[in-house]
Amino acid sequence: MDCTGKLIKVAALDGVETWVLIHVEVQGEPEDSFAERMFTYQYRLRDRYNIDVVSLAVLADTRESFRPTTFHYQRWGCALSFTFPMAKLIDWEAHWAELEASDNVFALVVMAQIQAKRVKKNASRKDTKVALIRLLYERGYTRDQVLRLFNIIDWMIQLPRSLDPEFAQAVYAIQEEKHMPYVNTIERLGIEKGRQEAEQRALESKRNAARKLIARTEMDDQMIADIEELSVEEVERLRAETQH
């Protein structure tokens, strides 16, 4: 789970200035309570900022049947329905040729995410990763774009350290062929460090969110663990810290 927000100022068709808060939820695995959580974030954001909130879901899992778009409840004549747009990344498997032909940077990101989910064997993952890096070098991106996308692909499709030398050699061969020596050993080490730091920041973000839920809600440890994708033991430890 990843929750991000963007506050942007735009002009409506009539020229009137308006503000919109865009809430994008990227969901990596199926979750029964996902639609309800989307509604919870929506009303909390609207209550806090008192402006229009547009909630969008990006589903990065591989379960074909997991396609939440609505949260609804009704009791004693009181009813509420909340609907949000949803994009399912695996739907693009049927349009793989379009992704390969596109020079849109997000096409590569979608391809990397799909392959990260689908390809499990380490040797196959290495070959898949090399193929994506080759595409990256063939699309005419700037050096900065190549490095940024390389970092993303490197993080999405992770390999065991035993395959790192083979992967690095393949990358160097592509760079030599394309005359684009963008990624060197030092940068690879920097990317690895950056990846570890990003993972640590993501974990700490989940812990902070869990601390807030512990302090402000009556949710039990299991529910908080499910929402924030932490272990129950971790939530129990955070609760003990919070109560001291």
Side-chain angles (χ1 to χ4, degrees):
M1 184 233 4
D2 181 27
C3 174
T4 60
K6 296 293 184 183
L7 184 63
I8 58 175
K9 182 173 68 173
V10 298
L13 292 178
D14 59 6
V16 177
E17 180 183 293
T18 185
W19 291 85
V20 178
L21 185 65
I22 301 176
H23 158 229
V24 180
E25 190 76 13
V26 181
Q27 183 68 15
E29 298 296 337
E31 178 187 326
D32 292 340
S33 61
F34 178 74
E36 182 177 1
R37 182 155 55 81
M38 287 289 288
F39 168 67
T40 300
Y41 289 158
Q42 159 79 207
Y43 79 70
R44 286 181 178 174
L45 288 167
R46 186 173 180 83
D47 179 62
R48 178 173 181 178
Y49 296 104
N50 194 31
I51 59 174
D52 289 347
V53 179
V54 176
S55 295
L56 311 170
V58 178
L59 307 181
D61 67 290
T62 57
R63 184 189 295 174
E64 183 63 35
S65 60
F66 181 63
R67 295 175 178 271
T69 59
T70 304
F71 172 67
H72 174 83
Y73 72 82
Q74 178 176 340
R75 185 181 294 272
W76 302 337
C78 176
L80 180 142
S81 289
F82 168 63
T83 303
F84 51 90
M86 174 273 296
K88 187 88 171 181
L89 295 189
I90 62 169
D91 289 345
W92 280 94
E93 284 184 304
H95 306 281
W96 196 259
E98 292 180 41
L99 291 175
E100 288 184 319
S102 174
D103 60 359
N104 189 316
V105 294
F106 290 104
L108 265 179
V109 174
V110 171
M111 292 169 73
Q113 175 61 30
I114 292 174
Q115 297 289 48
K117 288 287 187 179
R118 291 297 199 195
V119 183
K120 301 301 181 183
K121 293 183 179 179
N122 287 330
S124 298
R125 286 175 71 86
K126 187 211 69 173
D127 293 340
T128 294
K129 190 170 181 178
V130 170
L132 289 173
I133 297 300
R134 176 172 289 279
L135 275 179
L136 173 60
Y137 276 86
E138 291 176 347
R139 291 189 171 182
Y141 297 139
T142 66
R143 184 180 189 277
D144 184 61
Q145 288 175 313
V146 169
L147 290 175
R148 287 175 181 271
L149 287 167
F150 186 100
N151 196 354
I152 292 171
I153 294 171
D154 197 40
W155 175 74
M156 282 184 166
I157 306 179
Q158 297 186 21
L159 301 173
R161 293 189 180 278
S162 60
L163 288 178
D164 266 351
E166 291 182 37
F167 173 68
Q169 188 59 43
V171 171
Y172 298 149
I174 293 171
Q175 292 185 138
E176 187 172 326
E177 174 190 337
K178 302 297 180 182
H179 306 290
M180 298 177 181
Y182 292 166
V183 180
N184 57 39
T185 303
I186 294 175
E187 285 170 333
R188 281 276 296 151
L189 293 174
I191 287 170
E192 175 65 22
K193 180 181 178 182
R195 182 173 66 188
Q196 293 173 354
E197 290 175 349
E199 291 173 352
Q200 186 59 39
R201 287 196 300 270
L203 177 58
E204 192 57 35
S205 177
K206 291 180 181 181
R207 288 170 175 165
N208 287 336
R211 291 185 181 100
K212 291 179 182 178
L213 291 175
I214 290 169
R216 301 176 185 178
T217 73
E218 299 299 323
M219 293 182 184
D220 60 29
D221 292 347
Q222 183 63 62
M223 182 175 294
I224 294 174
D226 291 342
I227 291 174
E228 298 303 333
E229 297 181 334
L230 295 169
S231 68
V232 175
E233 292 75 16
E234 178 80 351
V235 175
E236 289 174 348
R237 182 182 67 79
L238 293 173
R239 186 180 293 279
E241 290 179 359
T242 302
Q243 291 173 346
H244 283 130

